[in-house]
Amino acid sequence: MKWQWGLTTLFFSLSATAQNLTSLQQQLVSNNPELRASISRQQASQNQAKSQWSPFLPELSASAGYGKENTLHDKDDGYVGYLSGRWNLYRGGQDWKNKGLATQESRIADFDLEITSRRLHRELGEAYYEALLNTHFISVDSEKLQFLQNQRAMARKKINAGLTSDVDAIELDLEESTLSAEIEAHKTDLQISKDAIKTLINSTDAVQLTTKETFPRVSESDFTSSDLARNPTLLKQQALEESTQLRRQQTQGAYLPSIDVNAQYGRLVPKYDDPLEATESRVSVLMTWTFFSGLETRFKSAAARDMEKAQGFEKNGTRLQLDTQVSSLRNKARELLQLRTLLEKRQTLTQKYYDLTLSEYRRGVKNSSDLASATNSLFDNRTRLLEVQKELAVLKLKFDELTI
């Protein structure tokens, strides 16, 4: 068992290279592929929103080539070359709605980025606290092994003195075997958590933790907030609802006319003369009003109204779901905080009980089973307290993901 204790000591001597949650979060922001992809989508949507200013500006173009006209009075063919311009003055307000839709899409991309960022930070925190829990478990079990080593020395003296049988030594062997198996299981769980961390921060470097890092001290005040005003999931639902409203208004604009100013200058009628010497021009203001489009506009308007209703229902459902989650997390935190208080009080009692039992065992008043029971009570309570501290830390991550 001494070799195993030595390896465990070496394991925890790597504290100089240990990483805390803050440093891992920085690597997450810099390296996580999913987060970087979400940032790129956000930037793309911002550029797409900026492009929606173009319909409000005139279009300019140049044309050149060969043409042939056969009209009622003339037959012309030859070169054509002219400059043309077009400026839309009115299109039933559809351009403004398109710009509004692009702005909403940009906002939705912002909320998607925030949702992704919050989720990844929460997942990283969960993996980190799980790894930290197993790191502490290994430390506690290793400390318990040292306790058993000391108890073995005392038991050997009593056996040699004829005060007890080999049963004490056998009991200690069984307990050490159980602890060795637990340590191996904790090491496996620790490696799984470390692999999850490496995936999230997109790194191949080893993740080092130390028992010097502890779980945050969570209190009931950390769970008092119920403000969902900045929750990105709810804000995204609101933006989606506004998008459906704009889309409905956009389809209604198709019932209105479109007014354009068109201008051309150059060789408009095909001639074999030098097109650069042309002085022809044409200016027009055209109103186009579509009276029938195969009922496309009507059905699109009906579909947009239905989508607006559906999005409203989804937003209300999301709000109810988030309220329920916040309430559940708060209630669970309250229970765990009460349990933590009881375990902290019990820790003092189990330590006192162990000290008294150890003293009486040395004097022959207590036997090995009494000492084993006191030892297990002491370390089981410490283990359970660590589990509660980890659960509270994870609850705080989930609560902050919703309310901050």
Side-chain angles (χ1 to χ4, degrees):
M1 297 300 176
K2 292 182 178 179
W3 64 269
Q4 189 176 41
W5 171 250
L7 287 178
T8 305
T9 304
L10 177 62
F11 176 82
F12 289 106
S13 68
L14 299 174
S15 60
T17 59
Q19 296 162 288
N20 56 28
L21 183 56
T22 301
S23 64
L24 293 172
Q25 287 173 338
Q26 293 172 350
Q27 295 181 64
L28 173 75
V29 173
S30 302
N31 302 331
N32 183 268
E34 185 180 357
L35 188 58
R36 292 173 68 87
S38 185
I39 293 174
S40 296
R41 282 191 291 269
Q42 178 203 35
Q43 294 172 344
S45 66
Q46 290 175 350
N47 290 325
Q48 183 65 29
K50 293 176 182 178
S51 72
Q52 293 304 311
W53 279 108
S54 59
F56 299 97
L57 302 175
E59 298 178 7
L60 300 175
S61 61
S63 303
Y66 174 83
K68 186 174 183 178
E69 292 186 359
N70 188 357
T71 62
L72 183 62
H73 300 288
D74 296 301
K75 294 182 179 180
D76 301 301
D77 65 297
Y79 304 118
V80 292
Y82 53 87
L83 298 175
S84 61
R86 177 179 174 275
W87 197 345
N88 174 258
L89 300 181
Y90 182 71
R91 196 180 287 117
Q94 294 185 71
D95 292 332
W96 282 107
K97 302 307 176 186
N98 282 333
K99 182 179 179 301
L101 282 169
T103 301
Q104 290 299 324
E105 291 296 330
S106 178
R107 291 184 62 211
I108 291 171
D110 292 341
F111 297 140
D112 282 336
L113 173 59
E114 181 66 18
I115 291 171
T116 301
S117 177
R118 290 190 180 202
R119 174 177 57 80
L120 290 174
H121 277 80
R122 188 253 304 161
E123 290 177 357
L124 177 62
E126 288 180 341
Y128 173 79
Y129 288 140
E130 183 67 26
L132 186 61
L133 178 66
N134 282 285
T135 301
H136 280 281
F137 277 168
I138 295 173
S139 176
V140 170
D141 286 346
S142 299
E143 184 179 349
K144 187 176 180 180
L145 274 176
Q146 186 64 40
F147 272 53
L148 295 178
Q149 296 277 346
N150 298 334
Q151 292 174 16
R152 177 184 293 278
M154 290 185 293
R156 178 54 55 190
K157 291 180 180 180
K158 296 181 68 174
I159 293 173
N160 293 336
L163 300 177
T164 185
S165 66
D166 289 337
V167 173
D168 285 10
I170 295 174
E171 287 180 350
L172 291 172
D173 288 340
L174 291 173
E175 187 66 25
E176 287 183 1
S177 298
T178 301
L179 276 177
S180 298
E182 289 181 359
I183 289 176
E184 292 302 319
H186 293 322
K187 286 182 178 179
T188 301
D189 293 338
L190 175 60
Q191 188 58 51
I192 292 174
S193 299
K194 286 183 175 182
D195 290 341
I197 292 173
K198 288 166 65 175
T199 300
L200 287 167
I201 65 176
N202 193 28
S203 174
T204 58
D205 297 335
V207 177
Q208 300 292 349
L209 300 178
T210 172
T211 52
K212 290 182 179 180
E213 289 292 328
T214 59
F215 297 103
R217 184 69 180 181
V218 178
S219 64
E220 191 170 355
S221 62
D222 293 318
F223 298 91
T224 56
S225 174
S226 59
D227 184 15
L228 295 174
R230 292 184 295 175
N231 182 276
T233 301
L234 185 58
L235 291 174
K236 177 183 176 180
Q237 290 296 325
Q238 294 173 349
L240 287 170
E241 184 180 30
E242 293 172 5
S243 293
T244 58
Q245 294 171 355
L246 289 170
R247 194 164 283 111
R248 173 181 56 79
Q249 295 168 4
Q250 179 194 36
T251 57
Q252 292 175 346
Y255 289 110
L256 301 175
S258 176
I259 301 175
D260 298 277
V261 175
N262 296 287
Q264 295 174 317
Y265 176 81
R267 173 59 57 81
L268 305 180
V269 179
K271 295 290 184 182
Y272 283 107
D273 300 337
D274 186 357
L276 298 178
E277 296 179 359
T279 58
E280 299 170 331
S281 62
R282 182 184 295 135
V283 178
S284 62
V285 178
L286 298 178
M287 181 182 74
T288 304
W289 201 333
T290 303
F291 294 105
F292 183 71
S293 60
L295 300 179
E296 178 186 12
T297 303
R298 175 185 175 184
F299 289 123
K300 281 187 175 180
S301 297
R305 286 195 298 270
D306 292 335
M307 287 300 298
E308 183 179 356
K309 293 179 182 178
Q311 195 58 54
F313 291 138
E314 288 187 12
K315 185 191 72 172
N316 294 335
T318 299
R319 180 60 189 249
L320 179 61
Q321 183 181 21
L322 291 174
D323 285 336
T324 303
Q325 290 177 357
V326 168
S327 179
S328 297
L329 290 172
R330 186 183 293 113
N331 292 334
K332 181 64 175 178
R334 189 178 297 113
E335 295 175 3
L336 288 175
L337 286 169
Q338 293 174 353
L339 178 58
R340 186 185 68 183
T341 300
L342 293 174
L343 290 172
E344 288 174 342
K345 292 179 179 179
R346 191 172 185 273
Q347 188 64 32
T348 302
L349 295 176
T350 56
Q351 182 66 55
K352 184 176 181 180
Y353 176 66
Y354 172 81
D355 293 338
L356 292 173
T357 304
L358 177 62
S359 176
E360 293 181 352
Y361 176 78
R362 288 171 174 168
R363 292 185 286 110
V365 178
K366 296 288 186 179
N367 56 33
S368 60
S369 60
D370 295 327
L371 183 58
S373 176
T375 304
N376 289 333
S377 295
L378 174 64
F379 284 94
D380 288 348
N381 192 80
R382 288 179 58 182
T383 299
R384 182 59 183 138
L385 182 58
L386 285 170
E387 290 175 339
V388 171
Q389 291 172 343
K390 178 255 183 180
E391 291 177 27
L392 281 170
V394 171
L395 278 181
K396 182 65 166 59
L397 290 173
K398 294 180 178 179
F399 193 82
D400 290 347
E401 183 183 8
L402 298 178
T403 58
I404 288 182

